[in-house]
Structure formats: C-alpha cells, structure tokens
Amino acid sequence: MNKVENNFKLRVSSTPHIRSKCSVDDIMLDVIIALMPAAFAGVILFGQRALAVLLVSVAACVGFELVYQVLAHKKLTINDFSAVVTGMLLGLTMPSGVPVYVIVVAAFIAIIVTKQLFGGIGQNFMNPALVGRAFALASFPAVMTSFAYQKIDFFQKTADVMTGATPLSDEYIMKTPTIKEHFIGMYENGTAIPGCIGETCVLALLLGFAYLLIRRVISARIPLAYIGSVMLMTWAFGSNASAAAQSPILAVMSGGVLLGAIFMATDYVTSPTTSVGQIIFGIGCGVITCVIRFWGGYPEGVTYAILLMNVLTPLIDRWTMPKPFGYVKK
Amino acid sequence: MLKKLSFKGGIHPKDNKNQTSAKTIETLTPPTELIFPLAQHIGAPCTPCVQKGDYVKVGQKIADCEAFVSAPIHSSVSGTVKDFKMYPVSNGSMVESIVIENDFQDTVDESVKPIDYKTVNPDDIPKLVREAGIVGMGGAAFPTHVKLMPPADKKIDTIIVNCSECEPYLTSDYRVMMEAPEEIVTGIMVVLYRFGIENGHIAIEDNKPLAVEKMKEACKNTPITVDVLKTKYPQGGEKQLIYAVTKRKVPLGGLPADAGAIVINTDTCAAIGRKFMYGMPLTRRIVTVVGTPFSKEVNYKVRIGTPIDYIIEQNGGFVAEPKKMIIGGPMMGVAQFRLDMPIIKATSAILAFTEKEAHIPEESACIRCGKCVEQCPMGLMPLYLYDFAKRGDMDACEKYNVDACIECGCCSFGCPAKRNMVQAIRVAKQNVLTEKRKRAQQERNEQGGK
C-alpha cells in the first residue's frame, strides 16, 4: 500500500506556514522613496552643496554602522537600509552650508551612540537622526542656525553666501513668505526660503506623505494629530510669536513641522504602537513644539518636541493598552 | 448593496483557491485497509465495541464512549475487523486504532435509515447527532452534540453556519456549498428545530459569490439568512464570526453560548443534514488536495479511515519534491513528518509546499511598526507578548491578556521582521492557562477545607 515513497525529508514547524511578503528593507526603501521629493527639492533650492550634505550624511551613517558592526562582531544590518534612512533624515535637517565635520559628528552620535550602543535597529529609544541633529545644534549653534538664501555650489566657500535665520525667528529680515511661496519653498523673485535642506518645500513633503499613506507604511494619525495641535496652539497663543508663526497655516508650513510630523514623529521604533497612543503622541509633539516656539529660547522646537515624546513612548504604550476583544470588567 | 460584515483587525493573505475551487468533487475508491483511530475528537477517546474478526457494515458503530464530551466512530466500509494497532494521527500522537479490511461490497448497516426530524422530540436531536458521530470538522473536532446542549441558563437565539472558509487554499466547504446545498440547509433546519428558533445564518465570504447565490437559492422558503462577509482572515474564527453576524462579543473566557449563538462548520452542518436525510452517520468527508508538488489539485470525497499516502498515490503522486506537508490550511494546519496516518473527521485538506514555499524566513529585530497590534483580531499587543514570552515573564503575559489569544497567526504572518510571534505566545498562553487552573483549584481546595 505504501507505494508513495516516504523518503522525503519533511520540514515541520509551528503555524503559520505562510508569511506576508513585506519585509523591513521594503519598508525602509519606501521611506527612502518618500524622502526623494524633499531631497530633490532641497538640491534644486539650495544647490549642489545640499546634495553634498545629503551624500556625506548617508555615507557617514552607513559607514559608522558598518565599522561598528565589524568591530563589535555583530551581524551586518546595513542591507536593511535603516542607516540610509537615518542618513537622509539627518542631512535633510541640516542647513545647506553646514561644514562636513559637523555632519560626521552628528552621524556618529546618531548611529553609534543612539542606535548601536543601545542594541541596534529597534532598540533605540530616541530617533537617531534627531539626536544627531540636537547634538549638532547644541554644539555648533552658529552653523546650525545660519541658513542660506541662495544656491551654494559644490566647492563654494560658505562665507561668501548670505545667510540668516528662518522665517520663524524674530530676527528674520525678509518678508514673511506667502502660502504659495511656502508650497514650492521659494520667493517669487527666485530666492530660496531659508531653512534646512528638506523642510522648506511643502509640496515635496506632501508628496512623500501621500506615498507613505498609499503604501500603508504609516497611518495618518501621528502627522494629523501633530499638525492639528500645532494649528490649534498657534490659533490660541500665536500672538506671542514672530510674524510667520502667528497664522496657523503658515506656522505649519514654515520650520520643521511637516518634515518632523511626516518623517520623524512617525518613526516606528520611537512612537507608540496603539492607535490611541499615536494620537496622544502627535498631540504631545504639537503642544511641545508650540511651547518652545512661543515661550522657549529657540525659534523652532520640532526636534526637542519629538525627542521628548520619544522618551514617553513606552509609557504611552502602557497607558493605552487596548482592551482585548470581548473584555468584561471584573 | 448589502453591507459586508466584518470585524476589527485581520489580514489578507493570497487566497490560492483557484487551483481547486472550480473542480467538481471526485469520489475516491476506498483502499483495502482502513484505519480508525479511537480519538478523532476533543474529549475522551472511545473504546472499541467490535472484536477482531467481526464483520462490520457501512455506518456501523465500531467504537464509543460513555463520556459526555466524546463521539462514537463508525465504519466507512463493510469488511472484517483485522487488527487493533497503534497508529499516528495528524496531531503527532500515536493513538490506538481499529484496522478494517475492506470487502468492497459496501453493505450498509440496518441502522442507516432516514429520519424526519420534525417527528423527533427537539430534546432528542443532540442524542441523534451524537449517535452519528458528528464533531466539528473545521479542525478542532469538538463533539457537536455538546454545542447543542448548552447550560440551561444560556439562551440560544442565533445559529450560524460558518461557510467563510477563510483559510487560504481550502475549498472543501465551498464545494459542499456548490454541490450539496440541501444538506447544509437541512442541517441548519435541524439545529433551529432543536432550539425552537428561526434565526439561522449562513455566513459566506465575498470571494465566493457563486456559493452565495447557490445558498440563497437553497434557502428560499426557509427562515435562513445568507450573510456576505468581507474576505479577511480570520473571518471564520468563532468569536470574529459571531461579531460580524450579530455584532455581539463573546466575553473573554466565555463560550459562544454566552453571546446567545452557536457556530457550526459547513461540512459538520452537512453531516447533520445527511444523518436526517439518509440516516448515514459521519463516515466521509471532503478533503482538498492542493499544492504545487501534487500532480493534480482537486477535492476528494474520502472515506474516513483512508490513509493519506494512499490518497496521494491515487492522485498521481508528486511532480516536485514536497518539503512541507500540512494537514489543514496554511494558517492553522499542522505540519506532518510522515504520511501514513489516516484521514480523520477533522482532516479538511492535504497541503503540500515546495522547498521555496516552505522556506522559513530568518527573524530580525522588531522595529515596532505596530502591524501586529493593528492586525490582532483579539486586540492584543503581540510585540510585547512575544518579548515577555521569550523572557519567560508569565506575569507580564497574563497582564497583557495572553489567554485571549486565539492563535490565528496574523501577528507572525504580517510581521516585516519575520518574528515567530504566535509560536512563542502559544506556549506562554498554555503556561498561563495551566497556572490559572492550578490557582483556581487551590482556591477551591482552601475554601473546601474551611
């Protein structure tokens, strides 16, 4: 009877026997694709130098991860593209004229100190790119807050370039950009709105947002809660702020709110996993951003707002643990 | 258009039903020797009521048990009882089994007679269902008569036939709907009659529009409603299904009866129908044979007791080397290490995977994407449960409601880091449940001592 040869080596494992195709590197690739419009706009607006900043930043982040993992005899994970994402985010939150050594120091803090020393991907409790940026901002405040008004070529000395504060600052010397100008990141006369490489072109950021939503990489909960609460706070308390920060719409369009809300606050590792938690997280980010903007010492507060909320993430997850299906009060 | 019924969470695996869904059920010639394991259901195993050398007929009871949670076993062929032997079953254990030599006469037992259920006292229906050896044929094999006898304080007002067949690859229930809808309708009418109610539902996923039409046609002039469900796994999970159809939630730790509902699997319902229409107890089932390694993918009508390797051989063997053999669907079926065990009442499919399909991806670190939380149909947080389970922290597992897990596998399926979550959570759940039971026992003992 047993004519079917039973000499196959059958593999036995626990269920489920099928897995979805989606993998970590697919997700990271999607984020990279979503960041492309912002990167492209940054290079158009701020010139070749912006491209150099992005390339150095990505190379430094991937390089540090590689060196650390080789030296520490860890499994190489640079092929999951997460270091590329960190590098791009770090570069996009820097001014185009930033010196190379600042980028390298920030990348070191991001990848080695924030990510690898805490155990690598998934283990960091704060967003690596934002910690790198915060470190650079505290250590090199002058270069991190002088933003170019024009394109810089690859080898042009940054000293020759006119720089200044962003429209959010009280020291801003030009006229407040209109909504339309914010949309493309450029004044009608062709001057770039000063800011970090990736934060000034609203159109590019929204394209990236749409891509992430369509690909279901992120949900809209954190970005919308963040943006909504910034608008609400500005409407209520905006009279304390500089001209650009008084209008709820302009307050969202200028500075780092969109870049932060779409790409930084939605970082999986450092944001809550429950839907209620994500909304609380977004609102927290928005409120802290505005508190810093209106009453703090900095013209912009996105970086610190998200970092503070990152630290609260485990607590938020615990507070908002969903009730299981069919839960009955005891 | 009808609103499609559903639940929160769940996943959308590729359904892979086209290989077999359009093909008519083929009847498989029984082999010369059939094996009847004495434990084919949840509950107490049976003891044989025949002896070596006895002549048995089709539909004759060959084993039974006094226990309430148990169901008798019937011969699916006529022939001679040849032996009592230990045989493997698909859950991996060895079970004492009756071996019957087929005489190919198919002499039917005298007890096999149609019964008009309307002439039976409703309270006697469960007894007849038990006599037919009917158990849940979706995989769990829970004796059906137990479901039909809920505690007196639970009022049943809804009967749902689970025709969702949400597991990918499986089409056996679909083919039963297409080819024997009257058996399903009779089955549900019997159950409705038993409870004296009229609220019967046949719940079908929207990827089976032909079956919806067929069942609607068959349900004409009956009080039964055909419900269209959104195609989503685990739509056929008992709690998910009850919620989708009635919007009632089965309380945690409770039974469907606590939500006033009883859920019956498609083929089980058809088996109840056959018991009353033809008098035949449960002796056959429909088995989907599917997977790229098979030379032919089809549904077979198989006598219970037929060895699986015989079916594969009759089906033309393999055209590619199988690397994984699964009894049941790919989400909740059991992987096998041998193929000589028999088809039992709950064997719904034989699924074969090639090396590539059977590949187990390497696990990487959790990136906290939250997919598992979003997809968990029970509203749990698998990412944390998995960490606690691996760490052996059973208190934390209990606090995060590990005992509510239905082991559907959505978390592991969707995880981009390919983490083996449900695999570890399942073990933790067993530990927590054992611990809970121990505590309850202790409390009872202490109270008893006072």
Side-chain angles (χ1 to χ4, degrees):
Chain A
M1 191 174 75
N2 285 341
K3 264 193 218 140
V4 173
E5 291 289 319
N6 204 351
N7 53 9
F8 306 119
K9 274 209 166 135
L10 293 176
R11 186 174 294 150
V12 177
S13 70
S14 185
T15 56
H17 304 295
I18 47 173
R19 300 296 183 91
S20 69
K21 286 207 178 72
C22 168
S23 67
V24 173
D25 36 306
D26 289 339
I27 292 173
M28 294 299 164
L29 265 178
D30 270 341
V31 177
I32 293 170
I33 292 170
L35 282 170
M36 280 303 169
F40 190 70
V43 175
I44 300 270
L45 293 168
F46 299 109
Q48 295 169 352
R49 177 65 207 217
L51 181 64
V53 171
L54 292 175
L55 290 177
V56 169
S57 176
V58 170
C61 284
V62 176
F64 278 128
E65 181 144 305
L66 181 70
V67 169
Y68 179 88
Q69 288 177 333
V70 168
L71 291 182
H73 304 291
K74 301 249 177 192
K75 203 177 148 269
L76 287 187
T77 59
I78 48 168
N79 55 348
D80 67 17
F81 302 115
S82 65
V84 179
V85 171
T86 303
M88 283 192 76
L89 286 173
L90 186 62
L92 289 171
T93 54
M94 300 241 167
S96 54
V98 72
V100 168
Y101 66 88
V102 174
I103 308 173
V104 174
V105 169
F108 177 86
I109 297 294
I111 293 295
I112 304 290
V113 178
T114 318
K115 186 178 174 190
Q116 292 301 341
L117 288 186
F118 281 91
I121 186 168
Q123 303 299 315
N124 49 292
F125 65 94
M126 289 195 278
N127 185 323
L130 281 180
V131 177
R133 178 186 146 78
F135 186 86
L137 190 62
S139 313
F140 316 100
V143 290
M144 285 296 288
T145 53
S146 56
F147 302 97
Y149 288 78
Q150 65 198 74
K151 290 183 190 173
I152 318 176
D153 283 339
F154 232 89
F155 298 106
Q156 199 172 354
K157 280 215 180 80
T158 43
D160 303 339
V161 178
M162 190 178 67
T163 58
T166 69
L168 283 174
S169 170
D170 291 327
E171 290 118 53
Y172 191 57
I173 46 169
M174 294 171 75
K175 84 172 175 62
T176 305
T178 63
I179 292 174
K180 206 173 125 200
E181 285 165 342
H182 265 308
F183 221 73
I184 48 171
M186 196 164 36
Y187 283 110
E188 268 175 352
N189 64 10
T191 318
I193 298 172
C196 299
I197 295 169
E199 73 181 19
T200 58
C201 178
V202 171
L203 176 67
L205 291 168
L206 291 180
L207 277 177
F209 187 32
Y211 181 79
L212 290 180
L213 287 181
I214 291 167
R215 298 281 298 162
R216 293 183 165 224
V217 173
I218 60 168
S219 87
R221 285 185 285 267
I222 292 177
L224 292 189
Y226 194 159
I227 293 165
S229 56
V230 166
M231 290 175 83
L232 212 67
M233 283 288 286
T234 308
W235 174 75
F237 306 107
S239 49
N240 291 0
S242 62
Q246 283 184 4
S247 136
I249 294 196
L250 290 181
V252 170
M253 295 178 103
S254 46
V257 170
L258 283 180
L259 181 62
I262 297 166
F263 293 101
M264 302 283 199
T266 54
D267 170 33
Y268 288 152
V269 179
T270 53
S271 63
T273 54
T274 63
S275 20
V276 180
Q278 288 170 355
I279 291 166
I280 296 176
F281 180 88
I283 293 174
C285 287
V287 170
I288 300 174
T289 300
C290 289
V291 167
I292 296 175
R293 276 188 180 182
F294 304 154
W295 299 288
Y298 289 102
E300 177 59 303
V302 172
T303 306
Y304 294 113
I306 299 176
L307 286 175
L308 278 170
M309 291 310 289
N310 283 166
V311 182
L312 283 180
T313 292
L315 284 178
I316 297 177
D317 250 4
R318 205 177 305 163
W319 292 332
T320 59
M321 188 170 88
K323 291 267 171 290
F325 183 83
Y327 177 82
V328 261
K329 251 196 182 154
K330 276 173 198 136
Chain B
M1 211 187 88
L2 252 159
K3 195 173 158 269
K4 278 169 193 156
L5 307 167
S6 193
F7 62 95
K8 194 168 161 280
I11 53 170
H12 302 271
K14 188 166 179 281
D15 76 359
N16 274 308
K17 291 183 190 271
N18 290 341
Q19 294 96 311
T20 52
S21 61
K23 296 180 190 162
T24 321
I25 298 170
E26 292 182 22
T27 306
L28 196 79
T29 329
T32 44
E33 220 176 74
L34 291 95
I35 302 137
F36 299 88
L38 294 173
Q40 303 200 10
H41 46 257
I42 288 183
C46 293
T47 39
C49 49
V50 288
Q51 275 167 353
K52 213 188 247 187
D54 280 2
Y55 183 76
V56 293
K57 297 173 181 169
V58 181
Q60 183 182 334
K61 193 177 357 176
I62 52 173
D64 202 350
C65 177
E66 294 282 304
F68 177 55
V69 184
S70 183
I73 294 158
H74 302 80
S75 179
S76 60
V77 291
S78 59
T80 327
V81 177
K82 200 178 149 197
D83 207 354
F84 296 96
K85 240 162 100 180
M86 296 301 278
Y87 256 93
V89 290
S90 47
N91 66 14
S93 58
M94 297 293 281
V95 173
E96 203 196 347
S97 311
I98 304 174
V99 183
I100 291 177
E101 197 173 0
N102 189 0
D103 68 356
F104 295 97
Q105 297 304 308
D106 277 345
T107 319
V108 177
D109 194 58
E110 297 76 33
S111 66
V112 177
K113 268 187 274 190
I115 308 162
D116 182 2
Y117 67 88
K118 281 175 189 142
T119 63
V120 182
N121 180 346
D123 289 338
D124 290 338
I125 298 273
K127 210 175 84 198
L128 288 168
V129 168
R130 185 189 187 281
E131 273 312 298
I134 296 171
V135 301
M137 291 162 81
F142 188 75
T144 304
H145 68 275
V146 181
K147 280 190 186 179
L148 300 186
M149 297 168 78
D153 57 325
K154 311 267 186 263
K155 178 130 182 48
I156 303 298
D157 58 15
T158 311
I159 309 295
I160 305 167
V161 185
N162 183 358
C163 298
S164 60
E165 200 161 49
C166 59
E167 275 265 12
Y169 291 96
L170 307 197
T171 56
S172 56
D173 287 351
Y174 176 74
R175 288 315 308 177
V176 173
M177 285 190 271
M178 294 304 287
E179 294 177 40
E182 69 288 348
E183 292 178 5
I184 300 173
V185 173
T186 310
I188 185 168
M189 289 307 287
V190 169
V191 179
L192 289 171
Y193 174 75
R194 185 262 174 275
F195 289 102
I197 54 176
E198 297 216 311
N199 191 12
H201 292 265
I202 292 178
I204 309 172
E205 282 189 342
D206 62 356
N207 61 350
K208 309 172 189 70
L210 292 177
V212 172
E213 238 168 80
K214 200 93 187 176
M215 292 315 298
K216 274 190 177 154
E217 180 68 35
C219 289
K220 259 186 196 159
N221 308 323
T222 71
I224 305 164
T225 330
V226 176
D227 293 315
V228 181
L229 308 170
K230 209 168 139 187
T231 301
K232 188 160 80 169
Y233 176 88
Q235 190 65 265
E238 205 164 44
K239 295 176 176 195
Q240 282 65 36
L241 188 68
I242 292 173
Y243 179 75
V245 173
T246 66
K247 290 285 164 279
R248 288 185 213 151
K249 292 181 181 176
V250 177
L252 269 190
L255 293 170
D258 293 315
I262 287 177
V263 177
I264 304 169
N265 164 272
T266 315
D267 213 13
T268 311
C269 193
I272 298 174
R274 282 197 304 278
K275 166 71 182 170
F276 289 88
M277 287 163 77
Y278 317 117
M280 188 54 89
L282 181 51
T283 53
R284 75 104 184 103
R285 72 153 301 140
I286 310 298
V287 179
T288 308
V289 178
V290 65
T292 39
F294 287 118
S295 57
K296 191 168 121 193
E297 297 174 293
V298 70
N299 277 295
Y300 281 117
K301 186 186 283 187
V302 180
R303 311 275 178 115
I304 286 166
T306 308
I308 283 167
D309 48 8
Y310 170 83
I311 299 175
I312 296 171
E313 187 198 309
Q314 293 293 308
N315 188 46
F318 295 108
V319 288
E321 189 182 327
K323 197 68 202 172
K324 200 179 227 181
M325 295 294 296
I326 299 158
I327 294 297
M331 290 304 294
M332 292 192 82
V334 184
Q336 305 296 320
F337 57 92
R338 53 197 290 178
L339 299 173
D340 54 349
M341 69 282 275
I343 293 286
I344 55 174
K345 291 172 183 175
T347 313
S348 54
I350 308 168
L351 172 60
F353 277 171
T354 58
E355 171 71 49
K356 200 172 148 233
E357 292 163 324
H359 174 70
I360 299 172
E362 204 186 328
E363 195 173 84
S364 64
C366 172
I367 54 167
R368 294 176 40 89
C369 66
K371 271 211 169 63
C372 53
V373 179
E374 202 175 298
Q375 293 173 339
C376 178
M378 292 307 290
L380 306 179
M381 300 182 87
L383 77 163
Y384 291 118
L385 283 174
Y386 180 50
D387 273 351
F388 299 147
K390 279 212 299 193
R391 224 186 287 154
D393 188 344
M394 290 306 137
D395 291 338
C397 280
E398 195 176 338
K399 209 174 132 211
Y400 278 68
N401 301 302
V402 73
D403 46 335
C405 173
I406 56 167
E407 305 177 26
C408 63
C410 288
C411 49
S412 296
F413 175 86
C415 181
K418 311 295 164 201
R419 290 164 72 77
N420 300 313
M421 287 194 265
V422 73
Q423 292 87 334
I425 295 171
R426 181 182 291 138
V427 177
K429 173 183 156 185
Q430 286 315 321
N431 291 345
V432 166
L433 286 178
T434 317
E435 197 55 40
K436 262 191 170 173
R437 251 175 249 138
K438 233 189 259 167
R439 272 202 313 257
Q441 186 61 41
Q442 231 162 22
E443 263 166 43
R444 270 202 297 277
N445 289 350
E446 274 163 25
Q447 276 166 359
K450 266 173 204 166

